């Protein structure tokens, strides 16, 4: 590895390469492509929660000015991929995404049951209000609390007892019950909605009867291409997915939703490009959410603070037509050195839409229970929560019995404690005041698998010394393009401003969804592989331009600043442009793939974070103000301290929302969300977000990938909500186990 350039570029707080395009409006999002003959679509949601549509009356809508079509299950063309289904009349349990306009069944309130196409958006909106439905209504079940006894083991766990979703026992079941000091508590996490700034949108266009292009807000162009190719029974190359800019997603672009298929059906039927953007209200039930989850933790420790047993049960909500699962109990298995651990994970199907992974999926919910229980047990032991965690620190993964690839959690604890001023914390709740406000300190630990997948990247080194990379990967906001430019810069030895990284197009080489905090490790590794392949090529061609490279070996050469030189005699050098010229080439064009090797499986790979929070709580009004947050992350080598810092600040902000505000509420009489705008569903705004300080251990993990990075996106939020809840307890002595911690719960 090129150490000189490493220090210079990787880790630099480089500005985002697409920042200017974003702030000037030059960046095009999925609803901003003005195709010729474009028409506008509006989806119509069901107003019942469960039943069948008896009839659709679209006469008035069709008479309305500018309307081209009203499409529902009554007149929609058949989607060929659906016809192959083994269960043509019924989605199988445990099963499959809702198929748009497939039949007359209604599975949840707000299900898209028709789409109206018109020449302008306003005319489509107006006509959408004129479509009338008659229903046969069935009794629905949406109340989680009333039905939580009906949670079931996921199909995946039934089929595969080794699945991470299966029941897990280490040592003795419920050993905590016989411990010297025990806690047992229930924790409730409400439904939360991703609500990124950009609304879900798709512009669908059939170039010919068997060639589809979509500009679609998704987290993966290749997975979406595969999904639509299968759905429409087309060769993969006949489907093109473009998602060049994504205005936040947090996970709701990890699944293809009925509105997308509805727009594609519409485009086929009206034979024009169709643009569909959901309304904010639709974001609450059409594109997934973090599921309502009930948890119970029992934890016991010896009098000197060694955990002897943890039992963790979690039940998460899913829909009746599709099985959604997440890793809610995962960190309980590996975070602390308890000899006895049992976890049980169940899902509860209700007449609601399917949830989808939301930032820190599973772990963020699980950490709320685990890290609060840790705080409760530390309090019962009269131990400092940091000391309690150190007493149960584990130097190997107690679940997999493998060494960690890297783990710098102790360093995170140390830095975080110092920066928040932990020494000022009172062990006794309510022991500190600032004027009339109660002051409390709390902390929570987060972890998430340091995942890496397979990807390929194309690199084209041009005769003018610039280089263009291409990957199908999307960038939902973390600054993927910027990070890739930095990684490329280090590994090919070309300045960042001469590097272009093109992404968000299914025509480009393979990349998985941007999800699970795996993008830098996955795509970055392919960038490195491509750079290495280009360097090999340069080395074989170099002697044509400079004879003295004739016998040079790769490790004897410095690739830097657009030229190669001999490490031992730096005056012997040749520029990349000269090599191309002397070899009569206009470019070097290489696609290289990269995937993790088996060696890395000898280790347990996780990222870690610690969040420290100081809150002020008003004893009379119950208002909680988060006064300061310090977050410290072990996410391997940090490629860009600015964008990585942004990631942490964003995650902490989401965690404050989870702790104090966000709560999607269904009126169970109707099965309908009553929170469906930002007036009723609160997300943190500037006034709610304090000074957030972020720190990185910044030590590389070369087991995970050649850059030494580990994922960061998820650990930014995992552990924040319990840190806030623990700080509220420290301030008030009130233990709130049901999120969000609203003032009514504190007075
Ligand atoms: Mo994230 S929930 O993997 O988008």
């Amino acid at each position: 590895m090129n150490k000189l350039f490493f220090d210079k570029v990787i880790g630099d707080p480089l500005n985002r390469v697409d920042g200017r395009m974003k702030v000037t409006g030059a960046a095009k999002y999925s609803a901003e492509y003005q195709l010729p003959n474009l028409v506008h679509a509006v989806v119509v949601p069901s107003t019942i929660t469960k039943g069948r549509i008896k009839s659709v009356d679209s006469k008035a809508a069709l008479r309305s000015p500018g309307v081209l079509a009203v499409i529902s299950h009554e007149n929609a063309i058949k989607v060929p991929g659906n016809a192959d289904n083994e269960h043509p009349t019924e989605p199988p349990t445990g099963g499959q995404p809702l198929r748009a306009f497939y039949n007359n069944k209604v599975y949840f309130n707000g299900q898209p049951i028709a789409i109206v196409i018109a020449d302008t958006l306003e005319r489509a909106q107006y006509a959408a209000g004129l479509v009338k439905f008659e229903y046969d209504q069935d009794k629905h079940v949406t109340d989680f609390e009333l039905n939580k006894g009906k949670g079931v083991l996921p199909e995946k766990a039934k089929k595969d007892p080794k699945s991470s979703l299966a029941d897990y026992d280490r040592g003795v079941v419920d050993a905590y019950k016989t411990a010297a000091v025990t806690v047992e508590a229930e924790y409730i996490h409400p439904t939360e909605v991703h609500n990124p700034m950009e609304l879900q949108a798709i512009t669908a266009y059939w170039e010919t009867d068997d060639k589809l292009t979509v500009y679609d807000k998704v987290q993966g162009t290749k997975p979406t291409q595969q999904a639509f190719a299968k759905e429409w029974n087309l060769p993969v190359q006949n489907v093109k997915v473009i998602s060049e800019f994504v205005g936040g997603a947090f996970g709701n672009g990890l699944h293809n939703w009925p509105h997308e298929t509805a727009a594609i059906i519409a485009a086929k039927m009206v034979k024009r490009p169709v643009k569909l953007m959901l309304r904010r209200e639709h974001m609450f039930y059409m594109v997934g959410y973090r599921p309502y989850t009930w948890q119970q933790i029992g934890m016991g420790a010896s009098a000197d603070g060694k955990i002897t047993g943890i039992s963790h049960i979690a039940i998460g909500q899913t829909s009746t037509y599709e099985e959604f699962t997440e890793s809610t109990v995962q960190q309980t298995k590996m975070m602390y050195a308890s000899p006895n651990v049992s976890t049980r994970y169940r899902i509860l199907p209700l007449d609601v839409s399917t949830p989808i992974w939301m930032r820190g999926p599973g772990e963020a919910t699980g950490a709320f229970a685990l890290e609060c229980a840790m705080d409760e047990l530390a309090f019962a032991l009269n131990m400092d929560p940091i000391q309690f965690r150190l007493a149960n620190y584990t130097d190997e993964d107690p679940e997999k019995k493998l060494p960690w690839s890297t783990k710098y959690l102790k360093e995170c604890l140390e830095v975080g404690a110092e920066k928040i001023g932990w020494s000022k914390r009172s062990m006794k709740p309510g022991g500190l005041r600032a004027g009339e406000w109660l002051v409390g300190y709390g902390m929570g630990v987060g972890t998430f698998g340091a995942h890496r997948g397979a990807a390929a990247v194309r690199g084209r080194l041009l005769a003018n010394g610039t280089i263009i990379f291409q990957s199908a990967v999307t960038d939902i906001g973390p600054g993927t393009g910027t990070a890739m430019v930095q990684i490329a810069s280090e590994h090919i030895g070309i300045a960042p401003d001469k590097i272009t990284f093109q992404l968000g197009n299914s025509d480009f080489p393979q990349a998985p969804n941007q999800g699970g905090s795996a993008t830098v490790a996955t795509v970055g590794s392919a960038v490195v592989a491509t750079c290495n392949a280009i360097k090999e090529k340069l080395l074989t061609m170099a002697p044509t331009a400079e004879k003295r490279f004739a016998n040079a070996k790769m490790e004897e050469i410095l690739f830097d600043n657009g030229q190669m030189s001999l490490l031992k005699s730096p005056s012997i050098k040749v520029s990349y442009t000269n090599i191309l010229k002397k070899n009569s080439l206009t470019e070097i064009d290489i696609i290289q793939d990269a995937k993790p090797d088996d060696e890395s499986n000898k280790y347990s790979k996780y990222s870690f974070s610690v969040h420290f929070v100081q809150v002020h709580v008003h004893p009379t009004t119950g208002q909680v103000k988060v006064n300061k947050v310090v977050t410290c992350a072990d996410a391997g080598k940090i490629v860009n301290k600015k964008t990585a810092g942004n990631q942490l600040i964003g995650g902490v902000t989401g965690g404050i929302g989870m702790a104090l505000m966000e709560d999607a509420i269904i009126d169970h009489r109707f099965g309908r969300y009553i929170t469906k705008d930002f007036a009723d569903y609160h997300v943190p705004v500037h006034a709610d977000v304090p000074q957030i300080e972020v720190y990185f251990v910044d030590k590389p993990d070369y087991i995970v990938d050649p850059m030494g990075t580990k994922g960061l996106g998820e650990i930014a939020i995992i552990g924040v909500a319990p840190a806030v809840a623990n700080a509220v307890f420290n301030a008030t002595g009130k233990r709130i186990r049901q999120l969000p911690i609203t003032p009514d719960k504190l007075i």
Side-chain angles (χ1 to χ4, degrees), residues 451-453 517-526 704-707 709-710:
H451 302 301
R452 175 185 161 192
S517 302
T519 300
V520 169
T522 303
V523 182
S525 297
V704 175
D705 61 62
M707 298 81 60
T709 68
K710 298 196 286 188

Side-chain angles (χ1 to χ4, degrees), residues 219 250-251 254 357-359 361 514-516 714:
Q219 286 175 246
F250 310 114
L254 293 172
W357 300 294
M358 180 168 160
R359 197 170 194 174
Q514 174 155 81
E714 323 293 335

Side-chain angles (χ1 to χ4, degrees), residues 632-655:
C632 189
D634 164 21
K637 182 74 197 162
I638 299 304
V639 175
N640 181 322
K641 297 221 172 79
K642 184 181 283 180
T643 53
N646 293 166
Q647 278 267 74
L648 286 185
I649 291 168
V652 168
T653 304

Side-chain angles (χ1 to χ4, degrees), residues 442-704:
M443 49 96 52
V445 175
T447 189
F448 198 81
H451 302 301
R452 175 185 161 192
V457 162
R458 180 181 182 189
R460 291 172 61 207
L461 176 62
L462 305 182
N464 64 2
T466 62
I467 188 163
I468 300 167
F469 291 90
Q470 291 179 331
S471 163
V473 72
T474 56
D475 178 354
I476 64 173
T480 302
T482 310
M484 294 305 134
V485 164
Q486 287 177 270
I487 290 167
S489 178
E490 176 203 326
H491 286 270
I492 195 69
I494 293 177
D497 62 0
K498 292 196 166 76
I499 301 175
T500 307
F501 193 88
Q502 297 175 342
L503 49 69
N505 189 322
S506 61
D507 284 348
F508 297 159
Q510 173 65 34
N513 274 317
Q514 174 155 81
S517 302
T519 300
V520 169
T522 303
V523 182
S525 297
V527 168
V528 172
T530 301
C531 290
N532 288 341
I534 293 173
K535 287 195 284 196
E536 294 283 354
K537 189 108 188 186
L538 284 168
L539 180 58
T540 58
M541 299 192 315
T544 317
E546 167 54 80
K547 284 192 195 58
R548 284 174 292 178
F549 282 98
N551 296 312
K553 295 190 178 62
M554 191 49 97
E555 58 273 19
E556 295 166 354
I557 295 170
L558 174 67
F559 293 84
D560 193 14
N561 203 18
Q563 59 188 16
M564 41 192 289
S565 57
L566 286 177
L567 281 165
K568 279 192 182 144
S569 336
S571 61
I572 300 175
K573 58 188 180 192
V574 61
S575 68
Y576 304 163
T577 54
N578 206 16
I579 295 173
L580 286 175
K581 202 166 129 198
K582 290 286 159 55
N583 284 274
S584 309
L585 286 177
T586 52
E587 63 178 275
I588 296 174
D589 184 351
I590 285 179
I591 298 178
Q592 194 68 42
D593 56 6
K595 60 177 186 336
D597 56 25
D598 293 339
E599 181 65 21
S600 72
N601 293 330
K602 295 177 185 162
Y603 298 86
S604 179
K605 294 157 284 184
Y606 282 90
S607 296
F608 297 92
S609 62
V610 188
H611 309 278
F612 286 89
V613 172
Q614 189 215 56
V615 295
H616 285 188
V617 183
H618 199 281
T620 313
T621 65
Q623 189 191 350
V624 178
K625 288 198 296 192
V626 178
N627 204 43
K628 184 176 176 181
V629 179
V630 173
T631 286
C632 189
D634 164 21
K637 182 74 197 162
I638 299 304
V639 175
N640 181 322
K641 297 221 172 79
K642 184 181 283 180
T643 53
N646 293 166
Q647 278 267 74
L648 286 185
I649 291 168
V652 168
T653 304
I656 291 171
M658 181 191 284
L660 300 179
M661 296 154 212
E662 298 186 49
D663 191 3
I665 298 168
I666 294 175
D667 181 335
H668 297 299
R669 292 172 300 170
F670 310 107
R672 188 182 304 154
Y673 281 102
I674 54 169
T675 44
K676 42 194 177 186
D677 55 40
F678 286 145
D680 291 320
Y681 183 92
H682 292 230
V683 295
V685 297
H686 271 286
D688 301 310
V689 179
Q691 179 192 359
I692 299 171
E693 284 178 18
V694 298
Y695 298 91
F696 297 103
V697 178
D698 199 21
K699 287 194 180 151
D701 184 331
Y702 294 117
I703 307 283
V704 175

